[in-house]
Amino acid sequence: MTLAPVAADPADVVELDLFLEALHRRWHYDFRSYSRASLVRRADLARQRLGCASLSELQGRILRDAAVLPDVIDAMTVQVSELFRDPTYYLALRREVIPHLRTFPSLKVWVAGCADGEELYSLAILFREEGLLDRTLFYATDLNRRALARAEAGVYPIDRLPDFSQNYQRAGGAGTLADHYTAAYGRVAFDRRLRERTVFTEHNLAADQVFSEVHLVSCRNVLIYFDASLQDRALGLFAEGLARGGFLGLGSHETLRFSAHARHFAAFDEPGRIWRRIASPEDAHA
């Protein structure tokens, strides 16, 4: 016998809606179109971190106390990642995408939703090893200012290195990961030259617009936290921001197959979750 799911308490639904509306109207952070299940967990985490008995109490605090906002945004966003996460993706970039990118005299790469920076450093290392780092400008964006600061610092606990190194090798690393960092006092700091050509800037996929034409958009494991309408908005930004022939990389459980913007892309390496920007659907067969 299959039990019907327990309906959400109407009062809890209203309370969450009011909290999200307050966050949006007071501080312009728009989480209203994020996946509902994720929102419930994240809002409750924010409530606990701030020691509030209810979301209504937390709502009152964010309306009147700007000092609590960074803690709330930290709780409402996801910064879980690792270097060369899903190595198949980076191997596909190295083997299939890089040869096309080499044909451009200069490159722009947008790392959308960069969190604490692991994806950025993965790409920077790959581009360095392929001889493209010095002619590439990276845009590393996130709506979480604290995460951007951590990404810009490029410092991680040393106990994460075994997983980082294993992923690097599986992603086709040309040397050893130690070529790209220094270790001391239980932490590793990635070579500052990896981020010398990186612009770290706040950007909200739910509200902001495209800021530059780019050759590669890497936005991995971000769309899974959005509802269908917000996924379409983000994919529309990527379609608008990509140069013709540019590439879009998504996470292993993400796709644009059912998006309203799918017509702007052709599958390039589906196992690696990489698509290519086309000018029209007819170009997909050119």
Side-chain angles (χ1 to χ4, degrees):
M1 177 180 176
T2 302
L3 298 176
V6 177
D9 186 322
D12 292 341
V13 173
V14 172
E15 194 174 41
L16 178 59
D17 287 344
L18 291 174
F19 165 70
L20 297 174
E21 189 67 26
L23 195 57
H24 176 239
R25 293 180 63 179
R26 181 70 176 89
W27 302 110
H28 311 294
Y29 286 99
D30 192 355
F31 292 96
R32 296 172 299 174
S33 294
Y34 279 52
S35 162
R36 199 71 183 186
S38 175
L39 280 175
V40 170
R41 294 191 301 272
R42 300 245 144 231
D44 193 57
L45 178 61
R47 178 192 63 77
Q48 293 177 48
R49 285 187 181 179
L50 272 296
C52 296
S54 66
L55 281 183
S56 295
E57 181 183 343
L58 180 59
Q59 176 188 329
R61 291 189 65 182
I62 65 169
L63 285 173
R64 294 171 177 82
D65 185 2
V68 306
L69 187 62
D71 288 327
V72 172
I73 299 305
D74 247 4
M76 293 296 294
T77 54
V78 179
Q79 294 97 44
V80 178
S81 189
E82 59 187 35
L83 216 70
F84 292 97
R85 181 178 181 180
D86 301 323
T88 300
Y89 170 70
Y90 293 97
L91 191 60
L93 287 178
R94 189 184 294 269
R95 292 178 175 175
E96 307 298 334
V97 174
I98 290 295
H100 294 276
L101 296 182
R102 287 189 196 284
T103 64
F104 294 95
S106 62
L107 295 165
K108 292 181 179 179
V109 175
W110 179 11
V111 186
C114 72
D116 287 354
E118 292 94 330
E119 185 175 348
L120 167 68
Y121 290 104
S122 302
L123 290 168
I125 289 169
L126 191 159
F127 276 55
R128 170 190 268 180
E129 292 184 347
E130 295 297 326
L132 296 179
L133 185 63
D134 291 340
R135 56 174 155 134
T136 302
L137 179 64
F138 292 93
Y139 297 98
T141 68
D142 203 279
L143 61 81
N144 185 330
R145 295 177 187 176
R146 284 183 176 173
L148 283 171
R150 292 190 290 266
E152 190 165 6
V155 177
Y156 303 95
I158 200 167
D159 60 8
R160 301 186 67 189
L161 268 181
D163 289 338
F164 285 0
S165 297
Q166 184 180 55
N167 287 346
Y168 166 79
Q169 293 298 333
R170 291 173 58 203
T176 68
L177 192 58
D179 298 333
H180 306 286
Y181 69 80
T182 56
Y185 306 107
R187 292 183 170 271
V188 296
F190 280 92
D191 187 344
R192 62 179 178 79
R193 288 170 293 182
L194 292 171
R195 56 184 179 274
E196 279 182 344
R197 291 180 54 79
T198 299
V199 177
F200 294 90
T201 187
E202 189 175 354
H203 184 275
N204 188 343
L205 292 171
D208 296 332
Q209 301 302 316
V210 172
F211 51 85
S212 182
E213 185 177 75
V214 298
H215 302 91
L216 168 65
V217 173
S218 191
C219 180
R220 311 194 64 245
N221 306 298
V222 174
L223 299 185
I224 56 174
Y225 298 104
F226 296 172
D227 69 10
S229 65
L230 185 49
Q231 288 181 12
D232 266 348
R233 186 187 196 282
L235 290 168
L237 292 179
F238 301 155
E240 183 181 349
L242 276 167
R244 180 182 175 183
F247 297 89
L248 169 64
L250 299 179
S252 59
H253 298 292
E254 297 169 332
T255 184
L256 54 74
R257 185 171 298 167
F258 305 107
S259 166
H261 301 283
R263 68 186 185 279
H264 297 303
F265 294 89
F268 184 79
D269 188 303
E270 289 207 64
R273 286 293 193 268
I274 299 171
W275 285 263
R276 194 168 194 185
R277 181 70 166 90
I278 57 176
S280 68
E282 292 74 20
D283 289 349
H285 308 290

